[in-house]
Each structure stands twice: as structure tokens, then as C-alpha cells.
């Protein structure tokens, strides 16, 4: 070609361009014929960390497909770094038993896997991280992912992924959006291969290495797990009405109000009451965040909020809204809840309404274990939103299944009491002593403010079963806070033989 | 808090959670009161690399604002890593003269800065990279950016940026999308601060460190630089018609056809003819890529293509389309043209129509210097699309300003002839000898295929001025190929005193 100097000051050596006939490789795309081929292409070895996300929730088929292929390949000691594990993932127990899986980390674990871990199925402690803490751990290389497997409702051959099309459309892909930024390899698993370019793209092709077409990535009916409608029973509605009254009395309910609720019946009953109050006062909120339900979509359409910030669609109505309404925007787990991004969406929330398995006298909340110590969940975004929001409200009944839910000391500390402001129960409202001014506002509004000790006493009186003692077995799980510190450990209950 | 073991096997030491009252910082957002304050927050020092993008094209006000602030702060030896430099950026010459700027890299340089560089204004060679090569250099840490300055048509206080709203809406933000993934610090400069969350978000908040509000980020009228409509003159239309006939004869014009053209009059005249041929044959293409114009939008709306993949809107009609049509999608520079992403959008293009300052007997193309050697451009996406596409067509007249454009040897080799397939001129069509089968197809279609030597001879005969000799001064610029190898160097013409 041209006559080039060998080197230049301020530039260094010059390497002359040589054109290789490698274009065909680039054109071929990223399609592989099987998950097995993808495992080979990623060069996964014993001890590797493989990540999964839970947008298909209890309908997810991808984690099981991939783990079966990894087991078939004879891999051992794998680390399953999932965002959440559901009952549908029970086949993980076989892979634990066979030695294919020796480590698990997740933000939420429910169903048989949680029960088995609690009974000591794994020798190494499970690491439970908040959604924001998981994003931080990935970004800071504390959680190094060898291969991220993305359940893609639609994909093209170059690896553009869409959660908005395909027969298992699940909406936003907020959790893998974080994984694919740092994973060594990214494998998209799809049952809907579309012509290039996929539309609308949720994860762009430069973040995806391989695409595998399978028969089914899961059951779309499993996306909406449990109810995502406001509770109708009088007890739940009463708690919801009081939580909404707390928000109204707090002074936060004004233009620009930012709101998050879970998808549970009491949370959505609260949201319904808050929506009525906003409409009555002529308040236009800024956004609802979090997992988004059809109920949040209704509030958007009613003009109560300007937008939705959605890390995960909780039902198919939310999916349809994300497909068509530009005010309904996706966010990654890092943007949602990361403590490392200089201000996440959770840091802009005015009020969040959260649930609890237990609350204690220090306002600490347990959403990780049930009475007796068995793992039934984990923080998810609980600790993140409590820390970020101006007003963190916990709604709970005084008792459940005969056990007191307001207790001297939580079985597992998931969300530190320093970040919790108000407990709303069917036996009164307790305000964190840190928020004395707020307690005054609630009293002025005629709300039944009582001491947390009073709530605990009423709960104990109403309970038919004693609070079980803390388990004392070996540590089976570590509950990490958003910053990687440890809020608590979970200890073994019973033994593997008992499961 | 809880009683924690000091350490656990398989986990390591446990650090107990301590809640600090640092929430107010996170809530404050990322707003700083001035560019000066952002420079301080980024801790920029002498020798730092600052990056800019050119979506506001010749209407951009941000590069000049930031460079003035850096100069005022007394910083020296800065490296300006821009995507493109336009005439509006002439104030850079003062910063070069004062020693504030000692290095420049870019994908395209036009106007007074290019002229001054050619005359030796900088001691260190400018590095000219292709759009894809720049994305690769950033991803591979060859080009380390200390602070990326993003001209944001709209931003919220947490750093969500939108190119789709604000009074200087410019559409997609494809180039900074790549910079913000790797830059040490990211500063958004906006003239439209919107309530959180900005909509629609083009760059998410976790990629942005600081937001600065200024009076104006530029002149929206400058976005559409030059014509973005098909040429109307008979000479250009004839070349366009022949280029379209080449595409038709090549066999590529079938369902799924993927197309890119520049925004020049001949390119769009070609696109108009191709569109008519598609309509006549009932062909539905897959996508148009690249910088997108209102003319491409018309083709989308006419149903000739399923989608647009847009790294940069070339006019305001394209901006309006991107604001409202989900089939009109953004792509980053890496996705567009990166040679490092395992298949970029350019690798899926069937036919691309490109221009040339000069073409030589080896089918090499110069879009970097004018006759005589002065810098007037650079590859931009020229070399990327030529390499990726199945059919790279160069359209050019035989002469311009009295100089032959088909020459024995290009003044600067920008795009290697190995990646160029056809030269379409007003004096005939030359086909790269590598593509003998294609030459046969064109001849069979009755097109005037001639040898490249014939074209050069005709150009020489039609020229009124001799091809100037290659400049022999010191090297003022290095032209890098997509992979970081060097296609050519640009040497000094005249001396700084002559400018």
C-alpha cells in the first residue's frame, strides 16, 4: 500500500493496513445451534459463574434449560448467580445434589430451592444481595460473571434483543441490562428469532455474543405470579387506606410526587387510595418506579403520573403498556437501585410502600425468612427503596399463620430500621423515633400512632404460636446490604435429610 | 446490629452494615452551576483527553464553550478527541496557538481547523479514525477519555439525557453512547433541564456524572448542514440512476435488502431511484442505516423498508421521525460500525453508496484530503461501510474544480480498494477486478462498464489542472483503519505562516 514511516513522535509505531477476507465471518451473525454449542463457545469450565434473570418469573424456562445442558456437559461446582429463584426452578436441587452447582447468589429465593438451602443443601453460604447491591457487585467486579444467559422474548441473528415482541414478551429487561455490561460472555436464549433489526431493541447487539433458538423460553402465563390487583378484603383495604393517609399527612403528596409500591394486594390497595387522594387534590405525580403492574399503568393513563420507570413488568398489562407508550420507560437494575451510580431512581422516590415477614422493635424488617428461619425471599429492591425514599412505609398485619409479625427481634435482618419510617398495621401505626416530626403530622391528621412496643405487645397477644427461636445451625446464607456489608446471616434449620 | 461471624468459608470476612446519613447527597442530583465547576469536579489536569460528539454538526456550541472554560482555567496540552470537527469549531485554533490543545483526534475534520492542521499548526500528528475504529479504540483503551462532554438537548438532574426533546433536539445520540461507556467522567451540557425522569431517555443516568445547564448548546438550524435532498441537476441524477442500476443488476435488490447512503445529493438521487425500483418490483427492504435524513424517513413511511438504524439524524425531519416512530431506532457508534463487536450493523448492509474526493487505479478512495493535500474530511463511516457491505459503490464525477478525481494514486488513502466494488462516474462504470462476476452482471444489464484505467484517462483528459504532487512535509495526520492499522499519513502543505 502506501509508504509509511515506521513510527511517529507522539504516535508510536505504525502498522500498515492489511485487508483480510474475513467479512463472511462478520456477516454470519451469532446464531448457534444449541445451548450446548453456546456453552462450548463460552469455554465454560468447572467453577464458572453463570447468571440468569427473572423477568419470566415463575414461568421461566431458560434457567432450567441451561442448567440441564451444563449438567449434561459434566460441569461441576458452578455458581448460579440469578436475580431471583422461583418454585419453577426446583430442578436446581438435582444439580446441587449432583455437584453441578455448589454456589448460589440471588436477590430473592422462593420455593423448594429456598427450603432446601435452609436445610443445608449447599456447603457454601448463599449470598443474598439487594437488586442495587447485585448491580454494584457486578460493576465493581465483586461478582464476576463468566456467562450471562438472557431469556430473550425476541432476538435477531446479530444479538439485538427485545422484551417487547415474541410470544413470551415480558416487557423491560432491566436486570440483564446490568449483567450484559460486565459479563465475560453473553448468550441470548430465544424462542422467537426475528429478521434483523429486532424492534424495539431492549439490549443492543454489541452486548451479546451468541444467540440460541429454543422451542420455548417459558410460559408467559407465569409472568404474572400471584395477584397484581388491589386487595378487596376489608382488612387489607383498611391497612391500605391508613398507609395512604400516612402519605397524605406527610406533606409529600404534591406535584412531582414519586411513588413505588410492590405488586401485593395491600400495596396496590394503598396505591388505589393514594390515586384517589391525588385526583381529589389535583396533584400530578412525576413517576412510579419499580416492578410495574397494570394498576400502575392505569394510574399513568389517568394522568396521575407523568411516567413509569420500569425494571420489570409484573403482569401482561404492564407489558402491553411498555410496548406502546413512550412514557413507560425501561431502567437497568443499576439505574433503578444501584448505590454506586451517584443517585439511582430509588433515591428520587418520595414514598415507597413495602411488605414484611417480620418487623422488630428497632424497625428492622425481615423479608428473607419465615418464622422458624426458612428462606422464603430476600431483599429484592426492599432495602434499596427503603434507603433511597423520603418515606418508607411498611404495611403488615399483626399476625400471620398464628405467628406475631411485630417481634422483639427479626429472624433475619434484611432492611435496617434506620431506613424505615413507618409501620402500618391492623393494630395501629408506629413511627420510627428518628421521625418525631412525622409522628406529629400523623397524630395531627388523626391517625392512630402508637409505640412499636405497643404493636409488638398487641401482636404477641393476638398470636396463637410463640415466636420460634433463631436457628443456631451453621450459616447457610449471608444477607448483604446494598454496599456489600452484611446485615445478617441465615442459619440452617433442620437437616437436608428432613426436606 | 446482629451478631455476625467474623468470616465464613467460601465468603470471606463479613463487614457489618452501618447506616450513614448520606442520603441527602444521593438525592441532590448531579447539577453543577457551571462548566468550570464540572471541570473541577472531573479533576482535569494538563494533558487530559476530553471528548465531544457532533450531533449538532455545524450548529454545535458545546465544544467551544467547554474549550473556552478549559483555556480559562489555564490547562495545557489537552487532547481533543472529537467525533467530527466543523467550521463552527474555528476557535480551536486559538487554543492550539495558546498551547491549551496539543493533540486532536477525530473521524472527520472540515473547515479552518483542517486547513490549519494541514499547514502544521500542531506538532503532534492528528489521529483520524473511522467511526467504527474510534469505538474500538475507546472500548480497547487505546483512546482513554478523561472526560466526555455530551451536548444534551434535554437532561434531568440525575443525568438522564434525551436527544428527542428540548429546543435543540438532535435525535439519536449514537456517538456519545460509545464514549460514556468508557470515559472516566461524563459531563452532560444542556440548555433544557427537564423534571426527572427525562423522556425519552437516550443515555441513562448511571452513565452520567455531572449535569451543567447553559444558555444554549447550539443552533438547531446547524444540524442540517448542506443539502439532505436528492440532487436535481441532470449530471448528478444520471450518476444516481446508474448507481441504482448497478444495485438492481447485482441481484441484491430483493426482500430484506439493507441499504446505506450518505446525505449528499448524488447519494440521495441514487436512493430515490432505488426506491422507485423497489416499489416497481414489490421489494420490501429490511433497513436503512447510517446518518438518517428526511428522505430515508420518507422511504420508511412508504413501506420500502421495515426500519431505520440511526447513529445520527442528518436533518430535522429525521429528528421528528425518531421522536415518534418506534421503527426508527438509535444505535451507538460501536453497534453501527465497530469491528470489535462480532458483527456490526455495517456488516449487514447489502449496498452502500459513498462519495469520494479521489479514487485511484487500485480502487482506493480518498475522502480525507483535497487535491493538493489539505485536510477536508476523513473516513467517518466510509471505510467501515465499505468493509461491511456486500456491495460498496463509489459515485463521483470525473473532475471537480478542474482536477481529475480518478487518479493514478490517491493523495490520501482513506478506504482500501480491496473493500470497494464499483466506481460510478459520468464517464462510465469501473468494477473492481476482484468482482469479475459482478462486472458480467452489469454488462448483461447494458451498463457501460469500462476499465479503471479508462476512467483515469478520461478524467485526465477532462481535467484543466494537473494532479498536484503528494505533499512531502512532515506528517501532520495519521489515517487509521478500523482495526487501528494505518492506511496512510497526511503530510504538511505550506507552513503555518501561510494560513
Amino acid at each position: 500500500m502506501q509508504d509509511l514511516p515506521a513510527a511517529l513522535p507522539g504516535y508510536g509505531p505504525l502498522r500498515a493496513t492489511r485487508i483480510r477476507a474475513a467479512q463472511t465471518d462478520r456477516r454470519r451473525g451469532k446464531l448457534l445451534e444449541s445451548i450446548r454449542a453456546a456453552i462450548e463457545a463460552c469455554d465454560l469450565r468447572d467453577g464458572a459463574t453463570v447468571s440468569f434473570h427473572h423477568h419470566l418469573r415463575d414461568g421461566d424456562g431458560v434457567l432450567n434449560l441451561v442448567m440441564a445442558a451444563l449438567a449434561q456437559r459434566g460441569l461441576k461446582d458452578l455458581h448460579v448467580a440469578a436475580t431471583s429463584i422461583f418454585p419453577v426452578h426446583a430442578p436446581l436441587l438435582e444439580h446441587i445434589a449432583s455437584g453441578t452447582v455448589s454456589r448460589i447468589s440471588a436477590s430473592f429465593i422462593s420455593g423448594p430451592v429456598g427450603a432446601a438451602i435452609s436445610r443445608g443443601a449447599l456447603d457454601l453460604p448463599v449470598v443474598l444481595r439487594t437488586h442495587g447491591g447485585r448491580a454494584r457487585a457486578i460493576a465493581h467486579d465483586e461478582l464476576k460473571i463468566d456467562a450471562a444467559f438472557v431469556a430473550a422474548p425476541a432476538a435477531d441473528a446479530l444479538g439485538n434483543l427485545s422484551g417487547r415482541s415474541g410470544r413470551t414478551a415480558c416487557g423491560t429487561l432491566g436486570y440483564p441490562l446490568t449483567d450484559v455490561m460486565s459479563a465475560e460472555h453473553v448468550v441470548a436464549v430465544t424462542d422467537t428469532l426475528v429478521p434483523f433489526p429486532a424492534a424495539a431493541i431492549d439490549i443492543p447487539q454489541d452486548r451479546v455474543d451468541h444467540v440460541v433458538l429454543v422451542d420455548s423460553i417459558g410460559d408467559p402465563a407465569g409472568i404474572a405470579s400471584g395477584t397484581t390487583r388491589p386487595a378487596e378484603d376489608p382488612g387489607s383495604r383498611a391497612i391500605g387506606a391508613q398507609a395512604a393517609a400516612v402519605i397524605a399527612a406527610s406533606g409529600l403528596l404534591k406535584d412531582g410526587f414519586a411513588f413505588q409500591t410492590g405488586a401485593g394486594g395491600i400495596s396496590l390497595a394503598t396505591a388505589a387510595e393514594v390515586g384517589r387522594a391525588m385526583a381529589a387534590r389535583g396533584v400530578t405525580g412525576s413517576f412510579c418506579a419499580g416492578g410495574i403492574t397494570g394498576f400502575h399503568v392505569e394510574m399513568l393513563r389517568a394522568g396521575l403520573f407523568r411516567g413509569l420507570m420500569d425494571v420489570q413488568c409484573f403482569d401482561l398489562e404492564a407489558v402491553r403498556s411498555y410496548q406502546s407508550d413512550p412514557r413507560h420507560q425501561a431502567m437497568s437494575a443499576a439505574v433503578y437501585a444501584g448505590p454506586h451510580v451517584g443517585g439511582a431512581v430509588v433515591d428520587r422516590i418520595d414514598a415507597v410502600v413495602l411488605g414484611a415477614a417480620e418487623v422488630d422493635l428497632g424497625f428492622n424488617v425481615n423479608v428473607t425468612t419465615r418464622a422458624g428461619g426458612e428462606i422464603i425471599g430476600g431483599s429484592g429492591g426492599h432495602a434499596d427503596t427503603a434507603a433511597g425514599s423520603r418515606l418508607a412505609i411498611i404495611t403488615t398485619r399483626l399476625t400471620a399463620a398464628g405467628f406475631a409479625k411485630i417481634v422483639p427481634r427479626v429472624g433475619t435482618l434484611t432492611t435496617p430500621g434506620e431506613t424505615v419510617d413507618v409501620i402500618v398495621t391492623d393494630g395501629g401505626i408506629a413511627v420510627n423515633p428518628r421521625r418525631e416530626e412525622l409522628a406529629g403530622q400523623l397524630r395531627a391528621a388523626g391517625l392512630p400512632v402508637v409505640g412499636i412496643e405497643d404493636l409488638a405487645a398487641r401482636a404477641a397477644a393476638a398470636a396463637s404460636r410463640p415466636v420460634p427461636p433463631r436457628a443456631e445451625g451453621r450459616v447457610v446464607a449471608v444477607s448483604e446490604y446494598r454496599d456489600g456489608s452484611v446485615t445478617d446471616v441465615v442459619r440452617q434449620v433442620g437437616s437436608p435429610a428432613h426436606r
Side-chain angles (χ1 to χ4, degrees), chain A residues 76-96:
Chain A
K76 298 291 175 192
D77 285 331
L78 298 175
H79 172 194
V80 173
T83 51
S84 292
I85 291 172
F86 283 92
V88 72
H89 299 128
L92 265 179
L93 298 179
E94 299 161 31
H95 302 309
I96 292 171

Side-chain angles (χ1 to χ4, degrees), chain A residues 277-296:
Chain A
M278 290 173 73
R281 297 178 185 205
V283 166
T284 305
S286 55
F287 68 94
C288 289
I292 295 295
T293 70
F295 187 74
H296 297 101

Side-chain angles (χ1 to χ4, degrees), chain A residues 192-475:
Chain A
T192 305
L193 195 66
V194 297
F196 179 88
I201 296 167
D202 288 297
I203 293 180
Q205 65 188 62
D206 62 330
R207 296 286 144 191
V208 177
D209 299 300
H210 309 293
V211 179
V212 177
L213 181 66
V214 298
D215 290 339
S216 167
I217 62 169
D219 175 8
I223 292 176
S225 310
T227 174
T228 59
R229 298 299 307 167
E232 300 285 353
D233 65 285
S236 299
R237 288 180 60 178
I239 294 175
Q242 288 216 329
V246 167
I247 293 169
S250 73
L252 292 170
L253 207 58
K254 52 193 180 190
D255 283 343
F257 176 65
F259 193 33
Q260 178 163 343
T261 71
I266 294 182
S267 287
L268 293 181
T270 307
E273 287 291 343
V274 168
R276 280 188 277 273
M278 290 173 73
R281 297 178 185 205
V283 166
T284 305
S286 55
F287 68 94
C288 289
I292 295 295
T293 70
F295 187 74
H296 297 101
V297 170
E298 285 175 25
M299 294 204 291
L300 175 71
R301 290 183 184 153
L304 296 175
F305 291 92
R306 284 190 281 104
L308 303 176
M309 293 296 283
D310 188 349
V311 69
Q312 175 183 38
C313 296
F314 273 151
D315 59 25
L316 297 176
E317 188 55 35
V319 174
R320 282 187 285 273
S321 166
Y322 177 58
Q323 286 168 333
S324 60
D325 191 334
R327 299 173 300 175
H328 186 158
Q329 297 195 85
M331 61 181 171
S332 70
V335 166
Y336 169 38
H340 61 302
V341 298
V345 170
V346 295
D347 298 312
R348 283 282 152 144
I349 294 169
D350 288 307
V352 64
V353 181
L354 298 164
E358 294 175 328
V359 181
D360 73 17
L361 299 179
F363 288 77
N364 301 303
V365 180
N366 170 19
V367 288
T368 303
T369 51
R370 73 165 95 238
E374 183 178 303
I375 294 170
I376 51 157
S379 169
H382 199 285
D384 298 308
T385 52
S389 62
R390 287 183 199 272
L391 176 61
I393 298 172
I394 309 294
T395 58
T396 179
R397 291 167 189 279
L398 288 177
T399 63
F403 292 108
K405 297 189 70 174
I406 317 295
V407 295
R409 184 182 169 207
V410 285
T412 304
L413 197 165
T414 315
T415 296
E418 290 93 330
T419 63
V420 172
D421 299 300
V422 181
I423 316 294
V424 178
T425 75
D426 46 350
I429 297 171
V431 180
N432 193 315
R434 285 190 310 110
R435 302 295 307 272
E436 196 44 56
E437 186 188 332
L438 176 64
Q441 290 171 314
L442 303 194
R443 282 193 202 94
L447 289 166
V449 176
V450 300
I452 187 78
E453 295 80 4
D454 290 340
L455 287 187
R458 291 179 205 193
S464 58
R465 303 160 76 178
V467 176
R470 273 204 159 212
E472 296 191 341
R474 71 176 173 85
V475 173

Side-chain angles (χ1 to χ4, degrees), chain A residues 98-134:
Chain A
S98 70
T100 299
V101 172
S102 65
R103 293 171 66 203
I104 291 179
S105 58
S107 299
F108 187 93
I109 303 178
S110 64
V113 176
I117 290 166
S118 293
R119 280 163 186 73
L122 281 168
D123 290 336
L124 298 176
V126 163
V127 181
L128 293 167
R129 292 189 175 91
T130 73
H131 284 321
R134 184 177 184 276

